[in-house]
Amino acid sequence: MIKNTLIETLGIEITHLEAGKVIATMPVDERTRQPFGLLHGGASVALAETVASVGAFELVDKETEGAAGLEINANHVRPITEGTVTAVGTILHKGKSTMVWDIKITDEQDRLICISRCTIAVIKLKKE
């Protein structure tokens, strides 16, 4: 499912997956930096939405439902130029049609790099 996607392109790896919690890592390298050498905010947002989407997908009925990002916000609180960042996503709200996830992205010294909140739509799959 990850092959040939943005997840693979950015080097995102899911390292922990349980109901209501997802942990993933992403390198800060030529794929994820902006022109000034800092981690690109868009890469952080892609990591955050990946964590929320994967977590939400684990909580839906895969036979009848899917999950897709509906809204995301992010505050970039500390720059980083190299290394690996880790995103920890935890569910805040699980409803019938939406979920809300809290995602904290930290560096290797556990310093906060970005904080994000992502709303996921729970989508009913069409019957064939």
Side-chain angles (χ1 to χ4, degrees):
M1 219 162 103
I2 291 174
K3 190 91 172 131
N4 298 318
T5 68
L6 182 66
I7 297 168
E8 180 182 51
T9 300
L10 296 179
I12 295 171
E13 293 185 19
I14 306 298
T15 60
H16 178 86
L17 179 58
E18 67 180 74
K21 184 175 182 181
V22 179
I23 301 173
T25 61
M26 182 178 70
V28 180
D29 62 16
E30 66 282 351
R31 297 171 290 180
T32 59
R33 286 190 204 107
Q34 43 97 308
F36 300 110
L38 304 172
L39 176 62
H40 195 292
S44 294
V45 170
L47 175 59
E49 188 162 338
T50 296
V51 165
S53 294
V54 167
F57 188 68
E58 280 300 304
L59 297 175
V60 300
D61 177 349
K62 293 171 188 59
E63 296 290 319
T64 61
E65 298 173 320
L70 183 63
E71 188 274 338
I72 190 164
N73 68 47
N75 294 98
H76 309 289
V77 297
R78 177 186 294 271
I80 183 171
T81 59
E82 62 185 8
T84 301
V85 291
T86 300
V88 177
T90 54
I91 193 161
L92 296 173
H93 164 75
K94 181 181 183 289
K96 290 181 182 176
S97 61
T98 62
M99 294 184 206
V100 179
W101 285 76
D102 174 71
I103 306 98
K104 290 181 176 68
I105 300 174
T106 57
D107 66 10
E108 293 164 310
Q109 289 75 45
D110 205 32
R111 295 178 296 192
L112 188 62
I113 301 300
C114 177
I115 186 161
S116 180
R117 189 178 64 230
C118 185
T119 303
I120 301 291
V122 177
I123 302 165
K124 298 292 180 193
L125 301 177
K126 293 182 179 177
K127 296 178 184 176
E128 305 221 7

